[in-house]
Amino acid sequence: MRALIYLLPLLLALSQALADSKLNLRDMIPSDERIRSHGYPAEAHRVVTDDGYVLKLFRIPYSHKLGNQNARRPPVLLQHGLFSNSDCWLSSGPDNSLAYLLADAGYDVWLGNARGNIYSRANEQISLNHPRFWHFDWHEIGTIDIAAMIDYILEETQHEQLHYAGHSQGTTVYLVLLSERPEYNAKIKSGHLLAPCAFFAHGRSAVFGLLGPLVGTPGGIWNQLLVDTELIPYNNLVNRLADNGCGSGSPYESICKNGFLMFANGGYENINLTSMQLLIKTHPGGSSSNQGIHYLQLSTSHEFRQYDWGTKKNRDLYGQDLPPDYDLSKITAKTHSYSSQNDALCGPEDVDTLVAEFTHLAEDHRVPLESFNHLDFIVAKNMKELVNDLIVDRINGYEAR
Ligand SMILES: *[C@@H]1O[C@H](CO)[C@@H](O)[C@H](O)[C@H]1NC(C)=O
């Protein structure tokens, strides 16, 4: 921990120096522009939640290759992971990324953005600079944001149901929504969980060992300092650091691959570096510290349960000393899980626990390549064959019924 504290100012100074010599590195292309640049039609939609957050949804309504704008096009919602945003479904381009593959298979593709990320940084009642803006967690993203997105899409498309696919935190919020508000099960035609994350008893990532003991239990000083703040904001400093370290031709390319991915990854054999470099332009995407703290709490408690505020506040909020568990037996929507052996965050043993608790799970698919890791679901060269083709195939199966 000491090392980190000394390292941080050094890193900041380094990034500042680099920034001074090379201004305006970041030429951010928003999701809708990126989609259009590949020839597809794109739309941006604004969804306001009950508690005032303004969420941006991007949409590929049809495929220009099919010219299917007047045909029946079942809606699919894709939801990104922690620190991420809708760009994660696009960065490997039309031949590989799930959003395009689904559009080309005849679907109406919607890309969600959770509260707090670069596309959803507004609230009609609360200023972005007020700590209350950051007083949320993936519990609210699941129970409020995803619910609002689903209702909006079904209303807009006049469909009764949609297909859902999420990566990492995008799977957590699905589990949270369907267990806490089980009436939403009826709105899901099928669900696809990429690198599903619910239990964290066995994570190999350095992040658990390093930060778990500090913030994983409620009431500690670190916990109080960090609660309700923005975690790794998307700003010029952080972004320049990532971009300078990881941009193409950067002398730090290998340090970047090892360092930047250290937390999430075990190796980078499958990575598409071009795709990764595109992603870095709009990442990290902004999130509340509570999201990270909540995950670390799970790594300490080994339970999949709500945010732990400490005994006193838990009693007020939940009427019990410990936070209540998410009841996975309430999830009845047809759900497919796609996980991998080399996932250092949400690894095979934790997936075993999830599968055991998830009584109605339709499929437990394990990617048959040992090196495949957590981020590979988003940036691997071989993710089309190993994962995305399967998802399109499963969804086609539900539509053919
Ligand atoms: C790698 O990413 C680039 C950039 O999006 C894309 O053009 C290319 O098709 C990708 N290759 C594979 C094999 O995923």
PDB file of all heavy atoms in Angstrom, residues 294-311:
ATOM      1  N   HIS A 294     -18.516  -1.943  -2.966  1.00  0.00           N
ATOM      2  CA  HIS A 294     -19.501  -3.023  -2.830  1.00  0.00           C
ATOM      3  C   HIS A 294     -18.912  -4.350  -3.330  1.00  0.00           C
ATOM      4  O   HIS A 294     -19.050  -5.394  -2.677  1.00  0.00           O
ATOM      5  CB  HIS A 294     -20.786  -2.653  -3.582  1.00  0.00           C
ATOM      6  CG  HIS A 294     -21.959  -3.515  -3.262  1.00  0.00           C
ATOM      7  ND1 HIS A 294     -23.226  -3.239  -3.697  1.00  0.00           N
ATOM      8  CD2 HIS A 294     -22.069  -4.679  -2.561  1.00  0.00           C
ATOM      9  CE1 HIS A 294     -24.062  -4.176  -3.278  1.00  0.00           C
ATOM     10  NE2 HIS A 294     -23.379  -5.061  -2.594  1.00  0.00           N
ATOM     11  N   TYR A 295     -18.223  -4.320  -4.466  1.00  0.00           N
ATOM     12  CA  TYR A 295     -17.586  -5.545  -4.967  1.00  0.00           C
ATOM     13  C   TYR A 295     -16.558  -6.067  -3.969  1.00  0.00           C
ATOM     14  O   TYR A 295     -16.465  -7.267  -3.717  1.00  0.00           O
ATOM     15  CB  TYR A 295     -16.906  -5.287  -6.314  1.00  0.00           C
ATOM     16  CG  TYR A 295     -17.824  -5.447  -7.514  1.00  0.00           C
ATOM     17  CD1 TYR A 295     -17.865  -4.483  -8.512  1.00  0.00           C
ATOM     18  CD2 TYR A 295     -18.627  -6.581  -7.664  1.00  0.00           C
ATOM     19  CE1 TYR A 295     -18.692  -4.619  -9.618  1.00  0.00           C
ATOM     20  CE2 TYR A 295     -19.456  -6.728  -8.775  1.00  0.00           C
ATOM     21  CZ  TYR A 295     -19.487  -5.744  -9.742  1.00  0.00           C
ATOM     22  OH  TYR A 295     -20.307  -5.892 -10.830  1.00  0.00           O
ATOM     23  N   LEU A 296     -15.776  -5.153  -3.391  1.00  0.00           N
ATOM     24  CA  LEU A 296     -14.767  -5.592  -2.429  1.00  0.00           C
ATOM     25  C   LEU A 296     -15.412  -6.170  -1.174  1.00  0.00           C
ATOM     26  O   LEU A 296     -14.893  -7.107  -0.560  1.00  0.00           O
ATOM     27  CB  LEU A 296     -13.831  -4.432  -2.075  1.00  0.00           C
ATOM     28  CG  LEU A 296     -12.886  -4.032  -3.219  1.00  0.00           C
ATOM     29  CD1 LEU A 296     -12.211  -2.698  -2.935  1.00  0.00           C
ATOM     30  CD2 LEU A 296     -11.839  -5.104  -3.489  1.00  0.00           C
ATOM     31  N   GLN A 297     -16.571  -5.622  -0.799  1.00  0.00           N
ATOM     32  CA  GLN A 297     -17.312  -6.199   0.333  1.00  0.00           C
ATOM     33  C   GLN A 297     -17.668  -7.659   0.040  1.00  0.00           C
ATOM     34  O   GLN A 297     -17.585  -8.511   0.917  1.00  0.00           O
ATOM     35  CB  GLN A 297     -18.599  -5.409   0.595  1.00  0.00           C
ATOM     36  CG  GLN A 297     -18.369  -4.045   1.198  1.00  0.00           C
ATOM     37  CD  GLN A 297     -19.682  -3.303   1.444  1.00  0.00           C
ATOM     38  OE1 GLN A 297     -20.751  -3.739   1.027  1.00  0.00           O
ATOM     39  NE2 GLN A 297     -19.583  -2.169   2.124  1.00  0.00           N
ATOM     40  N   LEU A 298     -18.065  -7.924  -1.199  1.00  0.00           N
ATOM     41  CA  LEU A 298     -18.429  -9.299  -1.557  1.00  0.00           C
ATOM     42  C   LEU A 298     -17.223 -10.222  -1.478  1.00  0.00           C
ATOM     43  O   LEU A 298     -17.337 -11.394  -1.125  1.00  0.00           O
ATOM     44  CB  LEU A 298     -19.026  -9.358  -2.967  1.00  0.00           C
ATOM     45  CG  LEU A 298     -20.252  -8.492  -3.267  1.00  0.00           C
ATOM     46  CD1 LEU A 298     -20.795  -8.824  -4.647  1.00  0.00           C
ATOM     47  CD2 LEU A 298     -21.342  -8.662  -2.231  1.00  0.00           C
ATOM     48  N   SER A 299     -16.045  -9.664  -1.810  1.00  0.00           N
ATOM     49  CA  SER A 299     -14.839 -10.491  -1.765  1.00  0.00           C
ATOM     50  C   SER A 299     -14.452 -10.800  -0.326  1.00  0.00           C
ATOM     51  O   SER A 299     -13.753 -11.765  -0.047  1.00  0.00           O
ATOM     52  CB  SER A 299     -13.690  -9.814  -2.512  1.00  0.00           C
ATOM     53  OG  SER A 299     -13.084  -8.811  -1.726  1.00  0.00           O
ATOM     54  N   THR A 300     -14.902  -9.979   0.602  1.00  0.00           N
ATOM     55  CA  THR A 300     -14.631 -10.236   2.027  1.00  0.00           C
ATOM     56  C   THR A 300     -15.715 -11.138   2.630  1.00  0.00           C
ATOM     57  O   THR A 300     -15.425 -12.035   3.407  1.00  0.00           O
ATOM     58  CB  THR A 300     -14.599  -8.904   2.823  1.00  0.00           C
ATOM     59  OG1 THR A 300     -13.962  -7.925   2.023  1.00  0.00           O
ATOM     60  CG2 THR A 300     -13.844  -9.044   4.119  1.00  0.00           C
ATOM     61  N   SER A 301     -16.982 -10.873   2.266  1.00  0.00           N
ATOM     62  CA  SER A 301     -18.087 -11.616   2.889  1.00  0.00           C
ATOM     63  C   SER A 301     -18.363 -12.958   2.210  1.00  0.00           C
ATOM     64  O   SER A 301     -18.950 -13.851   2.811  1.00  0.00           O
ATOM     65  CB  SER A 301     -19.376 -10.786   2.832  1.00  0.00           C
ATOM     66  OG  SER A 301     -19.871 -10.733   1.506  1.00  0.00           O
ATOM     67  N   HIS A 302     -17.935 -13.072   0.944  1.00  0.00           N
ATOM     68  CA  HIS A 302     -18.206 -14.276   0.137  1.00  0.00           C
ATOM     69  C   HIS A 302     -19.698 -14.484  -0.124  1.00  0.00           C
ATOM     70  O   HIS A 302     -20.127 -15.569  -0.482  1.00  0.00           O
ATOM     71  CB  HIS A 302     -17.604 -15.550   0.768  1.00  0.00           C
ATOM     72  CG  HIS A 302     -16.120 -15.486   0.885  1.00  0.00           C
ATOM     73  ND1 HIS A 302     -15.359 -16.528   1.376  1.00  0.00           N
ATOM     74  CD2 HIS A 302     -15.235 -14.504   0.569  1.00  0.00           C
ATOM     75  CE1 HIS A 302     -14.079 -16.178   1.375  1.00  0.00           C
ATOM     76  NE2 HIS A 302     -13.985 -14.967   0.895  1.00  0.00           N
ATOM     77  N   GLU A 303     -20.485 -13.432   0.086  1.00  0.00           N
ATOM     78  CA  GLU A 303     -21.939 -13.516  -0.171  1.00  0.00           C
ATOM     79  C   GLU A 303     -22.279 -12.577  -1.320  1.00  0.00           C
ATOM     80  O   GLU A 303     -21.590 -11.585  -1.554  1.00  0.00           O
ATOM     81  CB  GLU A 303     -22.733 -13.056   1.063  1.00  0.00           C
ATOM     82  CG  GLU A 303     -22.407 -13.769   2.361  1.00  0.00           C
ATOM     83  CD  GLU A 303     -22.914 -15.195   2.398  1.00  0.00           C
ATOM     84  OE1 GLU A 303     -23.783 -15.535   1.578  1.00  0.00           O
ATOM     85  OE2 GLU A 303     -22.412 -15.970   3.226  1.00  0.00           O
ATOM     86  N   PHE A 304     -23.381 -12.877  -2.020  1.00  0.00           N
ATOM     87  CA  PHE A 304     -23.897 -11.940  -3.016  1.00  0.00           C
ATOM     88  C   PHE A 304     -25.062 -11.218  -2.358  1.00  0.00           C
ATOM     89  O   PHE A 304     -26.175 -11.730  -2.292  1.00  0.00           O
ATOM     90  CB  PHE A 304     -24.335 -12.693  -4.271  1.00  0.00           C
ATOM     91  CG  PHE A 304     -24.836 -11.799  -5.384  1.00  0.00           C
ATOM     92  CD1 PHE A 304     -24.184 -10.617  -5.716  1.00  0.00           C
ATOM     93  CD2 PHE A 304     -25.958 -12.153  -6.130  1.00  0.00           C
ATOM     94  CE1 PHE A 304     -24.635  -9.802  -6.751  1.00  0.00           C
ATOM     95  CE2 PHE A 304     -26.419 -11.340  -7.169  1.00  0.00           C
ATOM     96  CZ  PHE A 304     -25.755 -10.163  -7.476  1.00  0.00           C
ATOM     97  N   ARG A 305     -24.770 -10.045  -1.808  1.00  0.00           N
ATOM     98  CA  ARG A 305     -25.789  -9.345  -1.032  1.00  0.00           C
ATOM     99  C   ARG A 305     -25.663  -7.834  -1.190  1.00  0.00           C
ATOM    100  O   ARG A 305     -24.705  -7.329  -1.784  1.00  0.00           O
ATOM    101  CB  ARG A 305     -25.676  -9.739   0.438  1.00  0.00           C
ATOM    102  CG  ARG A 305     -24.368  -9.331   1.082  1.00  0.00           C
ATOM    103  CD  ARG A 305     -24.258  -9.918   2.498  1.00  0.00           C
ATOM    104  NE  ARG A 305     -23.093  -9.394   3.195  1.00  0.00           N
ATOM    105  CZ  ARG A 305     -22.608  -9.920   4.316  1.00  0.00           C
ATOM    106  NH1 ARG A 305     -23.188 -10.968   4.876  1.00  0.00           N
ATOM    107  NH2 ARG A 305     -21.557  -9.389   4.893  1.00  0.00           N
ATOM    108  N   GLN A 306     -26.608  -7.117  -0.621  1.00  0.00           N
ATOM    109  CA  GLN A 306     -26.660  -5.664  -0.777  1.00  0.00           C
ATOM    110  C   GLN A 306     -25.515  -4.963  -0.041  1.00  0.00           C
ATOM    111  O   GLN A 306     -24.808  -5.566   0.762  1.00  0.00           O
ATOM    112  CB  GLN A 306     -28.014  -5.133  -0.271  1.00  0.00           C
ATOM    113  CG  GLN A 306     -29.172  -5.552  -1.159  1.00  0.00           C
ATOM    114  CD  GLN A 306     -30.414  -4.716  -0.890  1.00  0.00           C
ATOM    115  OE1 GLN A 306     -30.350  -3.497  -0.738  1.00  0.00           O
ATOM    116  NE2 GLN A 306     -31.553  -5.376  -0.816  1.00  0.00           N
ATOM    117  N   TYR A 307     -25.379  -3.681  -0.292  1.00  0.00           N
ATOM    118  CA  TYR A 307     -24.301  -2.862   0.273  1.00  0.00           C
ATOM    119  C   TYR A 307     -24.323  -2.900   1.800  1.00  0.00           C
ATOM    120  O   TYR A 307     -25.377  -2.769   2.420  1.00  0.00           O
ATOM    121  CB  TYR A 307     -24.453  -1.427  -0.217  1.00  0.00           C
ATOM    122  CG  TYR A 307     -23.209  -0.590  -0.062  1.00  0.00           C
ATOM    123  CD1 TYR A 307     -22.339  -0.408  -1.123  1.00  0.00           C
ATOM    124  CD2 TYR A 307     -22.910   0.030   1.153  1.00  0.00           C
ATOM    125  CE1 TYR A 307     -21.195   0.364  -0.994  1.00  0.00           C
ATOM    126  CE2 TYR A 307     -21.758   0.799   1.298  1.00  0.00           C
ATOM    127  CZ  TYR A 307     -20.914   0.965   0.220  1.00  0.00           C
ATOM    128  OH  TYR A 307     -19.777   1.727   0.357  1.00  0.00           O
ATOM    129  N   ASP A 308     -23.149  -3.087   2.374  1.00  0.00           N
ATOM    130  CA  ASP A 308     -23.023  -3.139   3.829  1.00  0.00           C
ATOM    131  C   ASP A 308     -22.647  -1.751   4.371  1.00  0.00           C
ATOM    132  O   ASP A 308     -21.545  -1.261   4.138  1.00  0.00           O
ATOM    133  CB  ASP A 308     -21.941  -4.167   4.194  1.00  0.00           C
ATOM    134  CG  ASP A 308     -21.967  -4.528   5.669  1.00  0.00           C
ATOM    135  OD1 ASP A 308     -22.589  -3.779   6.466  1.00  0.00           O
ATOM    136  OD2 ASP A 308     -21.370  -5.562   6.030  1.00  0.00           O
ATOM    137  N   TRP A 309     -23.580  -1.131   5.099  1.00  0.00           N
ATOM    138  CA  TRP A 309     -23.342   0.215   5.651  1.00  0.00           C
ATOM    139  C   TRP A 309     -22.903   0.168   7.102  1.00  0.00           C
ATOM    140  O   TRP A 309     -22.805   1.196   7.764  1.00  0.00           O
ATOM    141  CB  TRP A 309     -24.618   1.050   5.543  1.00  0.00           C
ATOM    142  CG  TRP A 309     -25.025   1.336   4.138  1.00  0.00           C
ATOM    143  CD1 TRP A 309     -25.963   0.675   3.409  1.00  0.00           C
ATOM    144  CD2 TRP A 309     -24.483   2.343   3.273  1.00  0.00           C
ATOM    145  NE1 TRP A 309     -26.049   1.205   2.142  1.00  0.00           N
ATOM    146  CE2 TRP A 309     -25.156   2.242   2.037  1.00  0.00           C
ATOM    147  CE3 TRP A 309     -23.495   3.336   3.418  1.00  0.00           C
ATOM    148  CZ2 TRP A 309     -24.876   3.066   0.946  1.00  0.00           C
ATOM    149  CZ3 TRP A 309     -23.226   4.168   2.341  1.00  0.00           C
ATOM    150  CH2 TRP A 309     -23.902   4.035   1.121  1.00  0.00           C
ATOM    151  N   GLY A 310     -22.681  -1.013   7.648  1.00  0.00           N
ATOM    152  CA  GLY A 310     -22.405  -1.141   9.082  1.00  0.00           C
ATOM    153  C   GLY A 310     -23.710  -1.399   9.820  1.00  0.00           C
ATOM    154  O   GLY A 310     -24.791  -1.024   9.337  1.00  0.00           O
ATOM    155  N   THR A 311     -23.600  -2.035  10.990  1.00  0.00           N
ATOM    156  CA  THR A 311     -24.780  -2.535  11.699  1.00  0.00           C
ATOM    157  C   THR A 311     -25.888  -1.502  11.888  1.00  0.00           C
ATOM    158  O   THR A 311     -27.049  -1.754  11.598  1.00  0.00           O
ATOM    159  CB  THR A 311     -24.363  -3.068  13.091  1.00  0.00           C
ATOM    160  OG1 THR A 311     -23.200  -3.860  12.917  1.00  0.00           O
ATOM    161  CG2 THR A 311     -25.456  -3.898  13.727  1.00  0.00           C
TER     162      THR A 311
END
